[in-house]
Amino acid sequence: MKAKKVAAVALTAAMTVSMAASVNVFAADGYDPADFKSDKDSSEWTIAVVTKDNTANWFKRMEVGVNEFGEETGINVIQKGPANADAASQVQVIDDMINQGVDALCVVPIDPGAIEASLKNAMDKGIVVVTHEASNQVNTLYDTEAFTAEDFGAALMDALAADMGEEGKYAEMVAYTTSTTHMEYANAEKKRQEEAYPNMELINDGAVPTCESEESIDTAYERAKEVLKANPDLKGFTGVASTDCPGIAKAVEELGLDVKVVGVGTPNEFKPYVESGTISTIKLWDPKDSGYIMCKVASMILGGETIEEGADLGLDGYNSITISEGDNKCIIGQADLTITKDNINDYDF
């Protein structure tokens, strides 16, 4: 039976105090996935995936995985994104999905804090909530990640340091400072640099990040140009949103600079810059798999299945998951990819 909204339970005066205590414990401890088992046949379920921006190549790739899951299981799946990649627009899409009565919501938040109320509303209505790129999301049953942010950020810095000869000044770009994983990656980069590469220096007195792309290649390009012109001795630049490095690389090439660029994105979008040598290394995970895994986890919860440490979710990189508990329960895979000029033609997305 699906979880019921506690506030909707009719209480007698004698039960009020004890029930109030139960509500407080429930809110503090979170939601139990076992309470979200559906009493409907799986053919009647609808799982909605809400992205940051459905027009971005990253999320077009994610939709491939979402649709593959639907085709394999017969479960109805839909993917929606806001018209504008901002938190308020994403809240509206989430609320629309709730009002349509979907059985599960899988969300890639722009700003986890901005959607907490909507996600709590969804779970209070018995809707399964699963997130991705949101290790600090409170109102979710599970957050899914391809790897730990610390490991990924360190790997990005190792790649940049190798390109820079382990010395010189560098800059960091994220989409938004409210984007949890972006800030985790950027901070992990800086931590790794300080521990392993003392002759490198993050500009602007080490402030993380240097600038924001606002999930826009055009904005990334403009912000990168500003940074590059203001710092003529810059030797490296990282970007952790898929929109960042195409804009950074375009600015570097236009200005005729020798600045090393390492970041996250889709191979086809990066290919011209990898082939020209402006971008040497792409670090990423396959968003197709992330979309599939979110839907898989949501369907397991709807089906009353228990998700345990070491479980095999059926995709490479997720054959033996770990589960960490912090602000939420986070499912972590080992699904990182490294793409260079040597293997970029092996990936077509």
Side-chain angles (χ1 to χ4, degrees):
M1 181 179 293
K2 286 191 173 183
K4 293 183 173 68
K5 189 175 181 180
V6 175
V9 177
L11 303 175
T12 64
M15 295 170 60
T16 300
V17 174
S18 62
M19 181 57 74
S22 297
V23 170
N24 288 335
V25 171
F26 186 74
D29 291 346
Y31 295 82
D32 185 350
D35 291 335
F36 289 78
K37 181 180 179 181
S38 176
D39 55 7
K40 298 191 299 187
D41 186 81
S42 62
S43 63
E44 300 178 85
W45 298 343
T46 296
I47 298 176
V49 177
V50 179
T51 66
K52 298 178 183 180
D53 176 5
N54 247 23
T55 65
N57 287 336
W58 187 268
F59 293 111
K60 290 178 182 177
R61 175 65 174 176
M62 179 171 284
E63 193 165 20
V64 173
V66 170
N67 290 338
E68 280 186 4
F69 177 83
E71 291 166 3
E72 289 179 11
T73 61
I75 296 171
N76 182 42
V77 294
I78 53 176
Q79 180 170 305
K80 299 286 184 182
N84 300 301
D86 62 73
S89 298
Q90 189 177 49
V91 167
Q92 185 59 60
V93 176
I94 292 169
D95 289 345
D96 287 347
M97 294 297 101
I98 294 170
N99 292 335
Q100 289 178 33
V102 299
D103 298 279
L105 269 171
C106 300
V107 185
V108 189
I110 293 171
D111 177 355
I115 63 173
E116 290 286 16
S118 292
L119 297 189
K120 183 178 188 305
N121 179 38
M123 288 197 290
D124 285 345
K125 292 178 182 293
I127 297 172
V128 168
V129 173
V130 175
T131 51
H132 174 54
E133 294 190 48
S135 63
N136 65 334
Q137 193 80 60
V138 175
N139 289 296
T140 182
L141 297 177
Y142 287 99
D143 182 65
T144 62
E145 301 295 339
F147 34 64
T148 68
E150 187 171 44
D151 287 347
F152 190 67
L156 283 167
M157 179 49 60
D158 288 343
L160 182 67
D163 282 354
M164 291 175 57
E166 300 185 11
E167 62 180 13
K169 295 181 179 180
Y170 70 98
E172 295 182 343
M173 183 180 289
V174 303
Y176 291 102
T177 54
T178 56
S179 297
T180 301
T181 52
H182 292 183
M183 291 300 292
E184 288 175 342
Y185 300 156
N187 280 307
E189 286 177 1
K190 182 185 177 186
K191 180 182 177 183
R192 175 65 172 165
Q193 176 263 303
E194 291 176 336
E195 291 174 348
Y197 308 110
N199 294 325
M200 291 174 60
E201 176 189 350
L202 180 60
I203 63 171
N204 296 347
D205 297 321
V208 178
T210 308
C211 53
E212 298 172 78
S213 67
E214 300 175 7
E215 293 285 351
S216 164
I217 292 176
D218 291 339
T219 302
Y221 163 71
E222 293 296 342
R223 299 284 163 77
K225 275 205 306 184
E226 293 170 5
V227 171
L228 292 164
K229 289 179 178 179
N231 298 273
D233 54 348
L234 197 72
K235 289 187 63 178
F237 215 136
T238 65
V240 297
S242 64
T243 51
D244 294 354
C245 286
I248 295 169
K250 180 181 177 182
V252 166
E253 290 190 355
E254 184 178 288
L255 295 173
L257 301 174
D258 180 19
V259 175
K260 307 304 181 183
V261 182
V262 171
V264 181
T266 53
N268 288 346
E269 199 160 36
F270 277 44
K271 186 175 290 187
Y273 301 112
V274 170
E275 291 178 342
S276 69
T278 304
I279 296 176
S280 69
T281 305
I282 310 170
K283 293 292 294 182
L284 72 154
W285 61 105
D286 192 337
K288 175 178 76 71
D289 292 348
S290 296
Y292 187 103
I293 290 297
M294 280 195 291
C295 292
K296 172 79 171 184
V297 170
S299 72
M300 291 175 72
I301 296 169
L302 288 169
E305 297 182 57
T306 301
I307 302 171
E308 299 178 336
E309 181 92 7
D312 184 350
L313 298 186
L315 289 182
D316 288 344
Y318 301 90
N319 299 124
S320 181
I321 62 167
T322 56
I323 299 177
S324 67
E325 296 198 30
D327 293 326
N328 59 44
K329 291 181 180 179
C330 188
I331 293 171
I332 302 169
Q334 306 85 35
D336 62 302
L337 299 172
T338 300
I339 297 177
T340 65
K341 191 173 185 177
D342 293 335
N343 67 348
I344 193 165
N345 289 323
D346 296 339
Y347 298 88
D348 187 18
F349 65 89

